[in-house]
């Protein structure tokens, strides 16, 4: 791979480097020659087309890689004299041209770059790497982008496989991990720094919050209480905020979430705030950014959805006073189902009947009936008592019949599904144990992709001329 066949095409390309028109012609001739050699003189009938298209692509990319390589290596303007300012403030000295092999969308490319070395900080650098967006990286910007997109969707190992299979670019799983995490850190910083408010996309905007555990490495759990029998924990909680609209209606007139309207933002962050705190919690600030970005705060009608977790409602109260608060009906019904199981045992007809009655009462907005039924069992049954507290505390967020009349979405499963889609399917798979920093980076990358913001991020990144740092 990567060897260049001797012949006139090479000479032609070299001459073409000096003349623009000649370059194009020579390039086309060379690709045509390579493909002719591949296909041979036989009739098209008996050809293995897949073998040809695959080999032809590989050949065409190699020819292109060599052409770009020669073009860049012929340009020595990155030698800007005997010295160059170092980032440490001192002056670095020119120390010759050095080769480095980069993985690009065209395959491997070895570039010769002017190298400067700084005695003061004992570091060396190549101004061209910075100019090309490949500082500290052996992957080109296009490959970095591909790795970022695939690792946002699937595991590092699967991403590595897809890179080889689809792009023809070998990037091992470890390198996918490093690259995707570095990119995720950039996205995370960008998300904190850049809020471009949009007007609300609908008269009624919904904002949901939820938490979900992500499995982390042991060292990330020191001194953290959890749900394991010994009081320890194996997970850290990712908190998610999601914003959407639901102007559409199904056949029964129930609001359905508008396709493409959902955005996500999440991280392993605290939502706790005390009266003495001068600044809102990390997660409260994340919610604020997302709300401003989506115009939630400007919407005619604002609805906050969540389960019964107190941090959700504390935060809703602080940040969005006056917004309509709704306990996700899906979640509320799940609670009643748990109580039925605890009282009557799993799979019992009586239990099913009981749960169905309570759910109907809830749908009708008859919370008093639900409370009365729970009250009957509260003393003898722990689950019933807990549910009684939950419904009592949240009854104003469970006025489902009223919400329905107002045309509000009471449960789209968006919040619950959001946690699964944005976090679970990527971060909670068998054998995954994250560092907090690693999980946060990949979550940032995935939320950015799922919210349709990767393109905008990439434009800002390219404009800033930054490479994947560290
Ligand atoms: Zn220096």
């Amino acid at each position: 791979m990567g060897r260049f066949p001797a012949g006139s095409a090479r000479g032609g390309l070299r001459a073409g480097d000096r003349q623009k028109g000649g370059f194009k012609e020579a390039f086309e001739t060379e690709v045509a020659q390579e493909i002719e050699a591949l296909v041979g003189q036989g009739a098209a009938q008996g050809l293995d087309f897949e073998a040809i298209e695959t080999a032809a692509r590989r050949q065409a990319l190699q020819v292109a890689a060599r052409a770009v390589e020669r073009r860049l290596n012929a340009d020595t303007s990155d030698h800007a004299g005997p010295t160059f300012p170092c980032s440490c403030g001192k002056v670095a000295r020119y120390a010759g041209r050095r080769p480095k092999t980069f993985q690009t969308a065209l395959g491997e490319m070895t570039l010769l770059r002017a190298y400067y070395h700084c005695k003061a900080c004992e570091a060396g650098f190549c101004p061209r790497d910075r100019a090309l967006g490949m500082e500290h990286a052996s992957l080109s910007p296009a490959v970095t982008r591909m790795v970022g997109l695939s690792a946002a969707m699937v595991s590092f190992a699967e991403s590595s496989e897809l890179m080889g299979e689809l792009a023809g670019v070998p990037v091992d799983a470890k390198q996918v991990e490093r690259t995707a995490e570095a990119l995720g850190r950039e996205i995370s910083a960008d998300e904190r720094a850049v809020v471009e408010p949009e007007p609300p996309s609908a008269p009624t905007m919904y904002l949901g919050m939820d938490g979900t555990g992500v499995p982390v490495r042991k060292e990330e759990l020191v001194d953290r209480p959890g749900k394991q029998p010994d009081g320890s924990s194996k997970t850290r909680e990712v908190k998610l905020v999601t914003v959407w609209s639901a102007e559409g209606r199904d056949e029964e007139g129930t609001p359905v979430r508008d396709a493409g309207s959902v955005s996500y933002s999440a991280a392993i962050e605290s939502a706790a705030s005390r009266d003495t705190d001068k600044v809102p919690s990390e997660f409260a600030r994340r919610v604020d950014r997302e709300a401003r970005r989506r115009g939630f705060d400007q919407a005619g009608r604002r609805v906050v959805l969540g389960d019964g977790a107190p941090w959700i409602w504390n935060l809703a109260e602080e940040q969005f006073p006056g917004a309509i608060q709704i306990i996700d009906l899906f979640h509320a019904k799940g609670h009643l189902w748990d109580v039925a199981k605890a009282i009557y045992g799993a799979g019992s007809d009586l239990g099913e009947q009981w749960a169905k009655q309570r759910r109907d009462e809830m749908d009708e907005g008859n919370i008093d009936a639900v409370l009365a039924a729970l009250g009957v069992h509260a003393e003898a049954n722990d689950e019933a008592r807990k549910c009684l507290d939950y419904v009592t505390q949240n009854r104003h967020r469970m006025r489902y019949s009223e919400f329905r009349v107002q045309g509000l979405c009471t449960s789209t499963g968006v919040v619950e599904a959001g946690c699964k889609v944005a976090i679970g399917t990527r971060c909670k798979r068998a054998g995954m144990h994250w560092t907090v920093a690693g999980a946060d980076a990949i979550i940032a990358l995935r939320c950015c992709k799922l919210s349709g913001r990767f393109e905008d991020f990439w434009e800002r990144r390219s404009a800033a001329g930054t490479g994947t740092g560290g």
Side-chain angles (χ1 to χ4, degrees):
M1 293 265 290
R3 273 181 303 116
F4 198 89
S8 61
R10 182 170 203 165
L13 256 173
R14 276 206 174 135
D17 285 348
R18 278 168 247 127
Q19 293 176 329
K20 262 200 169 168
F23 176 86
K24 184 168 174 277
E25 214 168 286
F27 182 69
E28 278 173 10
T29 308
E30 187 172 1
V31 171
Q33 278 173 354
E34 293 287 345
I35 288 170
E36 197 49 52
L38 260 169
V39 178
Q41 300 299 318
Q45 212 75 349
L47 293 175
D48 177 348
F49 191 66
E50 187 190 345
I52 289 172
E53 55 179 332
T54 307
R57 178 169 77 160
R58 198 168 54 227
Q59 289 291 345
L61 291 181
Q62 277 178 23
V63 171
R66 296 293 79 80
V68 173
E69 195 178 72
R70 273 196 300 274
R71 172 69 185 79
L72 291 178
N73 288 343
D75 179 342
T76 56
S77 60
D78 56 334
H79 178 209
T83 62
F84 201 92
C86 178
S87 55
C88 75
K90 296 283 191 316
V91 167
R93 304 201 75 80
Y94 179 65
R97 300 192 76 76
R98 299 225 173 150
K100 181 174 173 181
T101 301
F102 295 91
Q103 194 59 257
T104 79
L106 304 173
E108 283 192 347
M109 217 181 269
T110 302
L111 301 181
L112 284 161
R113 309 102 71 233
Y115 177 77
Y116 287 84
H117 188 264
C118 171
K119 264 193 183 150
C121 67
E122 294 189 328
F125 59 92
C126 297
R128 175 157 295 166
D129 292 357
R130 198 174 302 167
L132 297 180
M134 302 198 288
E135 206 183 7
H136 314 298
S138 60
L139 301 182
S140 72
V143 171
T144 302
R145 182 192 172 115
M146 290 182 202
V147 166
L149 286 175
S150 61
M153 306 312 286
V154 295
S155 74
F156 301 130
E158 287 164 331
S159 168
S160 165
E161 197 183 328
L162 290 178
M163 287 299 295
E165 186 77 20
L166 301 183
V169 180
V171 184
D172 67 44
K174 202 69 209 164
Q175 204 173 9
V176 168
E177 180 175 349
R178 275 198 307 272
T179 305
E181 289 190 2
L183 203 52
R185 284 194 295 273
E186 283 183 39
I187 290 175
S188 179
D190 178 77
E191 185 278 320
R192 284 181 169 82
V194 181
V195 176
E196 287 167 350
E198 275 173 29
S201 59
T204 304
M205 293 296 289
Y206 296 85
L207 182 145
M209 291 180 264
D210 203 357
T212 186
V214 161
V216 292
R217 296 187 189 164
K218 265 200 214 113
E219 59 269 27
E220 301 282 11
L221 295 166
V222 178
D223 295 334
R224 297 191 72 89
K227 291 174 182 167
Q228 295 299 302
D230 64 353
S232 70
S233 167
K234 286 186 173 170
T235 62
R236 290 284 299 270
E237 189 179 50
V238 176
K239 291 188 177 68
L240 172 103
V241 53
T242 169
V243 178
W244 72 97
S245 65
E247 295 299 304
R249 296 288 180 269
D250 67 9
E251 315 84 70
E252 284 149 32
T254 310
V256 287
R257 114 179 116 81
D258 302 322
S261 75
V262 191
S263 65
Y264 307 98
S265 186
I268 299 174
E269 280 172 350
S270 171
S273 63
R274 294 163 307 219
D275 295 342
T276 51
D277 287 348
K278 293 213 170 59
V279 287
S281 66
E282 279 283 306
F283 186 71
R285 278 179 279 169
R286 176 174 303 279
V287 170
D288 172 65
R289 291 192 299 272
E290 192 60 20
R292 283 190 286 133
R293 214 171 260 138
R294 296 297 311 275
F296 177 81
D297 53 338
Q298 305 293 322
R301 202 159 57 155
R302 299 167 302 153
V303 182
V304 178
L305 269 115
D307 60 20
W311 63 263
I312 292 178
W313 303 113
N314 290 338
L315 213 151
E317 211 66 68
E318 280 165 27
Q319 299 216 26
F320 311 115
I324 300 164
Q325 300 182 355
I326 302 179
I327 292 264
D328 194 304
L329 183 57
F330 181 79
H331 196 268
K333 287 180 175 178
H335 262 287
L336 293 171
W337 188 242
D338 289 342
V339 175
K341 259 197 295 192
I343 300 172
Y344 297 99
S348 107
D349 286 348
L350 264 178
E352 198 161 319
Q353 216 180 338
W354 186 91
K356 200 187 164 310
Q357 276 171 1
R358 300 296 85 73
R359 284 183 293 181
D360 288 347
E361 287 160 3
M362 207 164 241
D363 275 336
E364 292 155 13
N366 193 354
I367 298 296
D368 285 333
V370 177
L371 288 173
L374 285 167
V376 172
H377 299 279
E379 217 165 301
N381 190 290
D382 214 33
E383 205 66 42
R385 186 190 48 75
K386 276 193 280 183
C387 192
L388 183 69
D389 290 346
Y390 162 76
V391 176
T392 306
Q393 277 157 24
N394 291 296
R395 65 175 301 161
H396 59 292
R397 304 184 179 112
M398 293 179 162
R399 294 172 284 133
Y400 296 116
S401 55
E402 215 176 294
F403 297 146
R404 216 164 292 125
V405 170
Q406 294 169 14
L408 294 172
C409 159
T410 53
S411 176
T412 53
V414 174
V415 186
E416 197 102 1
C419 262
K420 284 202 185 78
V421 170
I423 315 295
T425 44
R426 179 64 186 85
C427 300
K428 288 164 81 162
R429 291 170 54 180
M432 283 184 174
H433 297 286
W434 297 88
T435 61
V436 169
D440 271 344
I442 297 305
I443 288 164
L445 176 64
R446 187 165 169 84
C447 286
C448 175
K449 170 74 183 81
L450 292 177
S451 305
R453 293 171 179 157
F454 191 82
E455 201 61 46
D456 287 348
F457 160 75
W458 199 261
E459 263 174 38
R460 281 194 292 273
R461 184 181 193 264
S462 304
T466 54
T468 300

